[in-house]
Amino acid sequence: MNTRTTPLQEQEMALFVGRRKEKGHILTLIENGLNCAVSGNPGVGKTTFLNAIAHEMKVKYPVVRISMPVVDTAYFYKKILYGLTELIPGGEEEIREKLVYTQEVETLIRFLFKGETLSSLEEEQMLSLLGTLLKRQELWRHRLFSLEEMRRASVKLIEALGKKVVFLVDDLDKALGDDVPKGAAPERLLAFFLENYEVLNAGKGVWIFSLSREFYDDMQGLLNAETKKSLLAMINDIIPLPAFTEEEFRELLYSRLDGRPEEMFAEDALRLLFGLAKGNPRTLMFLLTRSLRAALDEESERISAGEILSLMSDALALDEKSLAILRQASEDPYVIAGDNRLKEATALDTVSLSMRMGDLASKRLLVPDYIDKQKVYRLPFIHGGSITEGGKREK
């Protein structure tokens, strides 16, 4: 069983589900040597998707993984160089030495500026770093990597590899900075691409980036034609990763719970979990983890919707009457304001129930619908039917 919220790693690809269309499309682009990007909301599985691509590609081509947690072009080049020096067995000792030297100097500078005490460093590491600074200034300048030298070295190594290499760059948005005003991200990204044009077009390198959904929306509506044309010359396609479908969610559930979710959760609980997660796998894994931990503490056999709502009541910020409505919605395909069971459970009349349901809909916890011109409400993402029936997959 694996319900953690962190991305799946390459050795866990047996648990990867869905994304068949997107995966096939991006593999075709790679085969044709075309750069591209994937975009999606937080938690929708961009990093897991890139890991799946790496798993698929590494049998044919060298793969270099780069995560961009900071706004730092030098960091970008260093990750490229570290990845490539591992792929090239020999002949690049000078680049390796300069990388190590530069890293030592930067590490010491960070500690000095943060005011860290010497005890926070290992003695051997401190002696090495101090030895670095005690060298003559001319030697320092000779061995310390400048930004331009790292750029040239990156181009040199990509070309020296002599074959197609796939670069997977995760969270490129973070490299653009947190101060990017709305609508300006594409222009900032274009500037990043132009700054690194020589590296991104060196040798037989193919680049795949992950970007936020906001960036994709900006691309669709806020770009002028010239900027869009320039960007698409650098990245040939942007592939959106949508929320999972209900069927993909069901497959994900069985994959992560060893093919036996019905042994751990009642049907109404699973419907509620699907409705709360709304197709976001990270949210589903978070809810599964919290529910299973609570059940373990209380030695509960099968978790019910009521237990999940009790566990999540503070996070949902709902009173008992609204929670009762959600509990009923998890049991039935839809709820209506005139339901006598709801009136009895909440001690509310039809008008008050209608207002409550409208409030839950505004919070995206219910979705309004119509049956024979009568207004009803249902859980989001769930469209009736059993989650467990016919949903089993082999372990």
Side-chain angles (χ1 to χ4, degrees), residues 72-79 106 147 150:
D72 187 352
T73 304
Y75 174 89
F76 178 58
Y77 291 146
K78 278 184 281 188
K79 295 295 284 186
E106 291 178 350
L147 191 64
M150 282 192 280

Side-chain angles (χ1 to χ4, degrees), residues 9 19 22 24 26 61 115 143 153 156 165 182 189 196 236 285 316-317 322 352 355 359 361 369 380 386 394:
Q9 302 305 306
R19 311 299 190 201
E22 293 85 357
I26 207 168
Y61 309 116
R143 294 187 60 190
K156 175 185 174 183
V165 55
K182 183 172 177 57
L189 181 62
N196 300 292
N236 301 88
M285 292 304 109
L316 295 173
S322 293
S352 299
M355 292 176 63
D359 179 60
D369 206 343
S386 170
E394 294 184 8

